Amino acid sequence: MLRPKTRNNSCGQIKHKYWQLTWGTNVLFILLHPAHRLVDFVARKDIVTVMTEVVSNISPPPGAVATVSDAPPIHYMVKIELFSSLGKNAVETYESGVFEAGGYKWKLVLYPNGNKSNNVKDHISLYLAMVDASSLPRGWEVNVIFRLFLLDQNKDSYLVIQDAAGQERRFHGLNLQSGFDQFIKLSTFNDARYGFLLEDTCVLGAEVFVCGERSRGKGEVLSMKKDPTASKYAWKIVNFFKLDEKRQESQIFSTGDHQWKMVLYPKGKGLGMGTHLSLYLALDLATLPAGCRVYADYALRIVDQGYDRKYDWYAKSWFGASSSEDGWSTYGSLININKAQDYLVAKGICIIEAEVMVLGIGSPF
């Protein structure tokens, strides 16, 4: 039974009119406010029918609930005129302007004829997307409850779609968009009796409430190369036997987006000190993005200039800030190199070659 009532405010001074709706064992108090226009509804039909007829005739998306609100969305609204022209002009996706909510920037993403990449048919798809996420700290996560609105122009109320039971959606670096593939059936949207599309015009909106945010621990994405190619570089060293024990470096050479160099210790290093030539491949860290690593297949070889032979040493290794060099401390015996002066070192010239193929890149997220 529906009865008019009055109620004092907390100070006991101002009285507000409201309707008391008794429905079974439930009692619903509804304030009479000009924005709600509830008095007009009551004059035309039963209040329960008015507030529930739209929801009862509309199937919400899977896992979602549909409700009706007289209040417009508090964060953003977008009005689309000549909606049918989107389809006529093959506009598959419409992105709204940017708005702020909960300290973050957002936009609405609309698929007027359904998101074909998700095999959606006969529905409008509507999503909430985060904008400018590149400025957020590494490993960030934002948990959000959001509500998407569609204006019923016949009743000046809004159909509201949101996840059931207050379920949160998680936004992060690999998931910047979330919403409803089947926001509303096209047949329902185009039916003038529902008031969602009148005179080829509709109004959408959004409310976004950030529930929690955090930064996760470090992580990495490994991107392997589908068809890697090798790059070669030859280092010609003059007056090889006059080199002292100091570290010697070749010129920089490139493989893809990365730069490398060979590192030689003529009198050895570590286990090869004084007995062997030590030879390494080094990644130039100046061109490596912070936190990245490179996985490479490489070969280092000394050319036998007498018989046109090559002595190859092969390896696969990770290169990064914590380990920018890889190779062998006992690459070649100094005794053997001295004996082969006419071949490995001809007229004081030694030729060392590097062949490098990048197999994959590890990047932080």
Side-chain angles (χ1 to χ4, degrees):
M1 182 179 295
L2 188 66
R3 298 188 180 91
K5 297 281 185 176
T6 60
R7 174 176 291 181
N8 292 342
N9 67 0
S10 58
C11 298
Q13 297 174 344
I14 302 175
K15 292 184 177 181
H16 294 281
K17 292 183 178 181
Y18 64 94
W19 291 96
Q20 176 179 310
L21 174 62
T22 303
W23 189 9
T25 60
N26 299 313
V27 178
L28 176 65
F29 296 97
I30 307 170
L31 278 173
L32 294 184
H33 188 280
H36 294 118
R37 298 171 58 184
L38 201 51
V39 176
D40 294 337
F41 291 156
V42 173
R44 288 180 301 198
K45 57 178 73 176
D46 182 82
I47 184 67
V48 177
T49 303
V50 171
M51 296 187 70
T52 61
E53 67 176 357
V54 172
V55 174
S56 63
N57 292 326
I58 293 176
S59 298
V65 293
T67 57
V68 173
S69 173
D70 288 332
I74 62 176
H75 289 132
Y76 197 71
M77 293 178 64
V78 55
K79 180 179 181 181
I80 302 177
E81 299 176 342
L82 293 177
F83 184 90
S84 62
S85 67
L86 295 176
K88 294 177 182 178
N89 292 294
V91 179
E92 294 186 359
T93 309
Y94 169 74
E95 297 183 359
S96 75
V98 176
F99 63 95
E100 293 190 11
Y104 298 91
K105 294 183 179 180
W106 311 88
K107 65 182 177 182
L108 290 175
V109 180
L110 170 71
Y111 290 79
N113 290 298
N115 187 350
K116 292 182 175 58
S117 62
N118 290 346
N119 298 318
V120 179
K121 298 179 181 179
D122 305 322
H123 285 78
I124 287 176
S125 301
L126 186 60
Y127 306 93
L128 176 71
M130 180 173 279
V131 181
D132 293 340
S134 59
S135 61
L136 297 177
R138 182 181 302 166
W140 63 270
E141 282 187 2
V142 178
N143 294 326
V144 171
I145 292 177
F146 61 88
R147 309 168 71 203
L148 301 181
F149 290 65
L150 181 59
L151 176 63
D152 178 349
Q153 300 172 65
N154 289 332
K155 301 181 180 65
D156 194 23
S157 61
Y158 293 86
L159 173 68
V160 182
I161 304 295
Q162 67 183 104
D163 289 311
Q167 180 181 347
E168 299 176 1
R169 297 285 185 105
R170 187 165 62 98
F171 290 80
H172 52 81
L174 300 178
N175 181 41
L176 297 176
Q177 179 173 294
S178 188
F180 303 102
D181 289 335
Q182 301 176 359
F183 179 70
I184 190 170
K185 288 184 178 180
L186 280 169
S187 58
T188 302
F189 177 77
N190 291 318
D191 191 334
R193 292 176 298 176
Y194 290 96
F196 299 134
L197 185 67
L198 292 183
E199 297 181 359
D200 209 13
T201 298
C202 70
V203 178
L204 302 164
E207 290 181 347
V208 184
F209 305 97
V210 174
C211 306
E213 48 196 337
R214 68 187 180 98
S215 293
R216 300 192 307 272
K218 294 181 179 180
E220 181 179 84
V221 176
L222 173 60
S223 302
M224 297 299 292
K225 299 292 185 180
K226 184 176 181 181
D227 297 306
T229 57
S231 295
K232 296 181 181 180
Y233 178 77
W235 181 17
K236 184 178 180 180
I237 304 173
V238 180
N239 296 322
F240 178 83
F241 291 113
K242 294 183 179 181
L243 297 176
D244 56 25
E245 70 279 0
K246 293 181 181 179
R247 173 188 175 104
Q248 308 290 324
E249 296 184 357
S250 73
Q251 295 292 319
I252 295 290
F253 60 95
S254 298
T255 297
D257 297 328
H258 307 284
Q259 294 187 332
W260 308 82
K261 60 187 174 184
M262 284 180 277
V263 177
L264 170 69
Y265 292 86
K267 307 300 182 183
K269 176 188 177 183
L271 294 177
M273 178 69 72
T275 59
H276 288 76
L277 176 150
S278 301
L279 186 60
Y280 302 88
L281 176 70
L283 176 65
D284 182 17
L285 296 180
T287 60
L288 185 69
C292 287
R293 298 188 301 154
V294 177
Y295 186 49
D297 184 354
Y298 71 95
L300 298 179
R301 62 178 64 100
I302 295 180
V303 177
D304 184 333
Q305 302 174 61
Y307 294 95
D308 193 24
R309 294 178 299 191
K310 299 176 180 180
Y311 299 90
D312 293 40
W313 286 50
Y314 294 94
K316 292 177 182 174
S317 183
W318 282 100
F319 295 83
S322 61
S323 180
S324 62
E325 297 182 6
D326 189 69
W328 299 271
S329 60
T330 56
Y331 181 87
S333 168
L334 292 178
I335 295 177
N336 292 335
I337 291 175
N338 290 329
K339 288 181 179 179
Q341 290 190 29
D342 293 336
Y343 308 110
L344 300 182
V345 181
K347 298 181 180 180
I349 297 175
C350 180
I351 299 176
I352 304 176
E353 293 182 347
E355 186 171 346
V356 184
M357 182 167 57
V358 174
L359 302 179
I361 300 172
S363 305
F365 71 88

